[in-house]
Amino acid sequence: MRLAKKVALITGAGSGIGRESALLFAKEGAQVVVCDVNATGGQQTVDQIQAAGGTATFVQADVSQAAEAKAMIEAAESTYGQLNVLFNNAGIFHGGDNSVLDTEEDIWELTINVNLKGVFLGCKYGIPALQRAGGGSIINTASFVAVMGAATPQIAYTASKGGVLAMTREIAVEFARQNIRANSLCPGPVQTPLLDELMSDPARKHRRMVHIPPGRLAQATEIANAALFLASDESSYVNGATFLVDGGISAAYVTPE
Ligand code: NAD
């Protein structure tokens, strides 16, 4: 098993990419700490893992709150004795997030707080735990929009993901000699509840779909497979990477008809 004897904490594991990653990590032998602000979704993920014979526990935490971020790391260590994999995956997209000209300040602040400060706090409290374990792997979820601009804008979300990318690179460099790796996972559009909000407008949906070379959205399991690689020792020399799992969107100039 690819994650045997490892303890993995995943934020936003009550839905989408986080849930599929939690299920896969547990299948590969990890003891999984499922964190989410949504207790119902988080507990459902734990129930699914346990029903499949895996090991998991749920911790309710809002990643944008320092005390809760600190507590989720403490829960990982007190429950399973150590932390080896820190997957800062929780993120939001707000329906009112649009052009820089008309995005309200409160939407900007909410998005930056969850998507960027949440990753900062996860690392702030999680890295000492990885140090205590003798090293580990950090996976921070950014997005392909961290490296590309869109004329169907989502300015706060894009800025938050750009921040995750830059922050992760710096963490990767600072802690490399302590056996800690940090990589940004940059999914393309994935079929999850988060994207449903974005795709609810048919015109916006069409403008996005036309730029995806395979002509389809990713499934959350396809992103979880990439996260598994970054979590496992198979990626032992992958550090500071912008790990794009985008179906080739960022490589495309003109897509197939
Ligand atoms: P999702 O909405 O299915 O799941 C996100 C989970 O995060 C939910 O369970 C939600 O309750 C939780 N969450 C939200 N705010 C939180 C908070 N403050 N504290 C703790 N948990 C919180 O979304 P998803 O598509 O699985 O997204 C996962 C990550 O992938 C996000 O960071 C997202 O930005 C990123 N991403 C998604 C896509 C996509 O197309 N779906 C593309 C690129 C990147």
Side-chain angles (χ1 to χ4, degrees), residues 12 15-17 36-37 61-63 89 141-142 157 161 187-188 190 192-194:
S15 175
I17 296 167
D36 208 291
V37 71
D62 176 344
V63 295
N89 163 79
T141 306
Y157 184 88
K161 296 302 188 179
V190 190
T192 70
L194 180 133

Side-chain angles (χ1 to χ4, degrees), residues 35-101:
C35 299
D36 208 291
V37 71
N38 174 356
T40 309
Q43 192 53 53
Q44 279 171 358
T45 302
V46 169
D47 293 346
Q48 287 181 28
I49 289 173
Q50 291 174 344
T55 304
T57 189
F58 173 64
V59 179
Q60 186 169 21
D62 176 344
V63 295
S64 67
Q65 302 297 318
E68 295 181 36
K70 189 166 181 272
M72 76 183 179
I73 302 291
E74 285 169 357
E77 286 188 302
S78 63
T79 308
Y80 297 122
Q82 60 185 7
L83 181 67
N84 309 106
V85 176
L86 173 62
F87 187 4
N88 290 305
N89 163 79
I92 55 166
F93 168 75
H94 193 288
D97 188 357
N98 206 305
S99 163
V100 64
L101 300 179

Side-chain angles (χ1 to χ4, degrees), residues 68-228:
E68 295 181 36
K70 189 166 181 272
M72 76 183 179
I73 302 291
E74 285 169 357
E77 286 188 302
S78 63
T79 308
Y80 297 122
Q82 60 185 7
L83 181 67
N84 309 106
V85 176
L86 173 62
F87 187 4
N88 290 305
N89 163 79
I92 55 166
F93 168 75
H94 193 288
D97 188 357
N98 206 305
S99 163
V100 64
L101 300 179
D102 53 30
T103 298
E104 299 294 341
E105 217 174 314
D106 60 337
I107 293 173
W108 170 271
E109 280 166 3
L110 175 69
T111 305
I112 295 293
N113 275 342
V114 176
N115 293 8
L116 182 55
K117 186 181 170 196
V119 175
F120 161 74
L121 291 172
C123 291
K124 182 179 172 70
Y125 297 111
I127 289 172
L130 298 179
Q131 288 170 323
R132 286 189 283 276
S137 172
I138 302 170
I139 306 159
N140 292 333
T141 306
S143 165
F144 73 110
V145 302
V147 299
M148 301 182 77
T152 49
Q154 43 186 19
I155 197 71
Y157 184 88
T158 297
S160 72
K161 296 302 188 179
V164 169
L165 197 57
M167 179 167 61
T168 306
R169 270 196 302 263
E170 192 142 288
I171 288 168
V173 175
E174 183 178 353
F175 298 99
R177 297 206 181 174
Q178 297 173 39
N179 200 29
I180 293 173
R181 301 181 291 111
N183 293 290
S184 292
L185 180 58
C186 298
V190 190
Q191 185 76 59
T192 70
L194 180 133
L195 200 69
D196 290 345
E197 173 71 47
L198 201 68
M199 295 295 203
S200 54
D201 172 5
R204 283 184 114 190
K205 178 175 180 177
H206 174 74
R207 288 207 62 195
R208 282 163 193 274
M209 290 303 289
V210 81
H211 292 290
I212 305 176
R216 67 169 179 88
L217 301 174
Q219 295 301 306
T221 50
E222 295 175 291
I223 309 304
N225 280 323
L228 171 62

